């Protein structure tokens, strides 16, 4: 795996390697356009703009704007935050279309995929034996723009908590449950996961300040993390990287190894880069289950402000396992 490099967005077109296929995701966040705008002149043969059908206003605005950036090379890929099967079917079809055309070099802008959508995409790429995928991630200068750290919010209202499609794990009733939460800004979603699964042991992860996207993000993240630690006594505390998926994978492996012979459930709630690390540890051990908590409402007006740089890395995907029936 190529260690992530932090590059100015203005240099993205010269620093990011050529690819056959570019995938990105439309969002109410303006940073969904940050990297695509810098790469619109790149020689992609296919561009897939992923749009969540249950956010039609985003499809009509950001989705169409991203599609127009790349002209006839691009098409919309319908997904849904309510229906993971719809998401998986559409992504399968898009990836298979590229493979049928002999295209094997993929670049994914992971910035504004949902955690669940990104995990499903990575599993499909693994199943399709795409051995290496390049990833770009535009970091946020600020989340919950303008709010004090203790009042920052990204989503409100809690929906379904579910296993991520493609990451069912191997859950044995005879074993105790070890829940590992990679905390972000949304303590209420983390609490919902805890209530839903009633784990025997909770490991609560905080982004490592030395591997944080920014010191300001770490400060705000720590506030929400400490609220959880205060509420749930006897949690096992650990740190993980917010900016390097290989380091995240290593931190999660160590946490899993602390309690062998347990059912393991991981809930990634931090950066998309750290979510990639959660996918990698699940690729290593298919007994590990990943889960996702949906939200009813997002802070669409002030979710984030894009920074002027991005992270770029190459992801080595392991040889696929037989696809489940």
């Amino acid at each position: 795996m190529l260690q992530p490099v932090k590059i100015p967005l203005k240099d993205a077109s010269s620093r990011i390697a050529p690819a056959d296929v570019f995938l990105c995701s439309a969002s109410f966040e303006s940073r969904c356009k940050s990297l695509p705008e810098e790469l619109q002149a790149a020689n992609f043969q296919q561009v897939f703009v992923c749009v969540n059908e249950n956010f039609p206003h985003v499809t009509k605005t950001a989705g169409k704007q991203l599609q127009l950036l790349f002209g006839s090379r691009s098409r919309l890929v319908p997904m849904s935050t309510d229906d993971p099967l719809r998401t998986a079917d559409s992504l399968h079809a898009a990836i298979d279309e590229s493979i049928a055309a002999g295209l094997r070099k993929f670049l994914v802008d992971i910035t504004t995929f949902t955690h669940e959508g990104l995990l499903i995409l990575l599993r499909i790429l693994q199943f399709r034996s795409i051995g290496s995928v390049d990833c770009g991630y535009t970091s946020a200068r600020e989340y919950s723009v303008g709010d004090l750290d203790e009042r920052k919010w990204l989503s409100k209202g809690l929906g379904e908590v579910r296993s991520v499609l493609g990451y069912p794990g191997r859950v044995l009733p005879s074993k105790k449950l070890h829940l590992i939460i990679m905390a972000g800004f949304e303590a209420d979603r983390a609490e919902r996961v805890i209530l839903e699964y009633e784990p025997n042991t909770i490991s609560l992860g905080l982004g490592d300040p030395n591997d944080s996207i920014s010191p300001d993000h770490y400060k705000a993240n720590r506030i929400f993390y400490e609220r959880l630690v205060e509420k749930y006594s006897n949690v096992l505390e650990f740190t993980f990287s917010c900016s390097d998926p290989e380091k995240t994978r290593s931190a999660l492996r160590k946490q899993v190894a602390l309690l062998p012979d347990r059912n393991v459930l991981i809930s990634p709630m931090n950066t998309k880069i750290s979510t990639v690390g959660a996918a990698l540890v699940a690729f290593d051990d298919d007994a590990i289950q990943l889960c996702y908590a949906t939200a009813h409402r997002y802070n669409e007006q002030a979710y984030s402000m894009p920074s002027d740089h991005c992270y770029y890395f190459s992801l080595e995907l392991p040889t696929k396992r037989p696809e489940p029936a």
Side-chain angles (χ1 to χ4, degrees), residues 19-34:
D20 301 323
V21 184
F22 179 53
L23 292 100
C24 58
S25 178
S27 171
F28 47 78
E29 291 186 76
S30 61
R31 63 183 176 137
C32 76
K33 293 178 279 188
S34 298

Side-chain angles (χ1 to χ4, degrees), residues 88 91-92 95-96 99 104 106 119-133 164-169 282-283 286 317-325:
L91 290 172
H92 265 299
I95 301 304
D96 286 350
I99 293 172
R104 305 287 298 186
F106 288 80
L119 289 167
I120 291 171
L121 172 60
L122 293 174
R123 183 62 95 180
I124 290 169
L125 290 167
Q126 185 208 15
F127 281 151
R128 290 298 183 260
S129 297
I130 305 299
S132 177
V133 177
V164 178
L165 192 65
Y167 302 82
F283 291 163
D286 61 10
L317 299 178
T319 304
K320 71 174 184 178
R321 296 177 290 105
E323 191 166 353

